[in-house]
Amino acid sequence: MPKSVGKNKGEMMHHNAPRCTITLHKAPFMSSNLYIPKTCKHCGNAFTARTTVTKYCGNSCAKKAYKARKRKEKIQSTLNADMKQKNEVIEVQNTNAVNNKDFLSVTEASQLIGVSRWTIQRMIQQGRLKAVPFGRKRIVARWQIENLFN
């Protein structure tokens, strides 16, 4: 048990441990004489701050503001990740440059026209487009797609 060694109780503390040379001094408290009228950044109520950096009227508003700030950061990071993913998809599509090819896969033909792959598949089955099997894919000549619109 620590015991008081000074004149006033709690002024100076010393450990009872043998050969202990550490002496702990009581730190004086500094009181603030500042009274700053402020408005809470979360709820908008007026309050009196005792420091210059106080933003909220109390602990509950500080906690609610913290949660709102973290929620906003999560949403923003998700939106940034989605935008980054969309940009990567657009770059991948641009590297395949469908416009320069004479022979297209079913997927590329659907991207060129702006329809689904299944629409191109149905046109092939109906005989409106001729596709040549090439390995596991079917290849459509570009001129056949252009003839659809002529």
Side-chain angles (χ1 to χ4, degrees):
M1 274 286 178
K3 63 181 179 179
S4 179
V5 198
K7 290 180 186 176
N8 298 329
K9 192 170 188 176
E11 183 181 344
M12 200 162 66
M13 304 292 283
H14 186 75
H15 297 281
N16 281 337
R19 293 190 217 151
C20 181
T21 57
I22 300 172
T23 303
L24 303 173
H25 296 279
K26 184 178 177 185
F29 287 100
M30 295 179 63
S31 64
S32 172
N33 290 330
L34 297 174
Y35 296 95
I36 305 166
K38 287 193 170 187
T39 304
C40 180
K41 297 232 180 206
H42 181 70
C43 66
N45 292 336
F47 70 100
T48 303
R50 299 293 306 268
T51 64
T52 57
V53 294
T54 305
K55 297 178 184 177
Y56 307 106
C57 60
N59 195 27
S60 64
C61 278
K63 287 179 180 179
K64 290 175 186 175
Y66 173 80
K67 276 188 161 186
R69 189 170 57 248
K70 289 298 177 182
R71 187 179 310 118
K72 191 175 182 180
E73 287 173 5
K74 267 188 178 179
I75 291 170
Q76 190 62 39
S77 67
T78 303
L79 291 175
N80 289 343
D82 287 346
M83 290 299 290
K84 193 174 186 180
Q85 186 178 9
K86 285 181 183 177
N87 289 342
E88 289 173 1
V89 169
I90 290 171
E91 288 174 8
V92 168
Q93 288 176 352
N94 288 343
T95 56
N96 289 338
V98 175
N99 295 331
N100 299 332
K101 293 183 177 180
D102 290 331
F103 298 97
L104 306 169
S105 68
V106 173
T107 306
E108 292 170 341
S110 66
Q111 288 175 354
L112 182 66
I113 300 174
V115 297
S116 71
R117 287 183 320 123
W118 300 110
T119 303
I120 300 293
Q121 294 283 8
R122 267 187 257 116
M123 293 174 87
I124 292 170
Q125 288 175 352
Q126 293 170 355
R128 294 171 57 192
L129 278 176
K130 185 178 178 194
V132 178
F134 189 77
R136 299 179 91 184
K137 291 184 174 185
R138 290 181 169 193
I139 304 296
V140 179
R142 184 184 186 87
W143 62 267
Q144 289 186 12
I145 295 173
E146 290 172 357
N147 285 343
L148 288 173
F149 301 105
N150 291 333

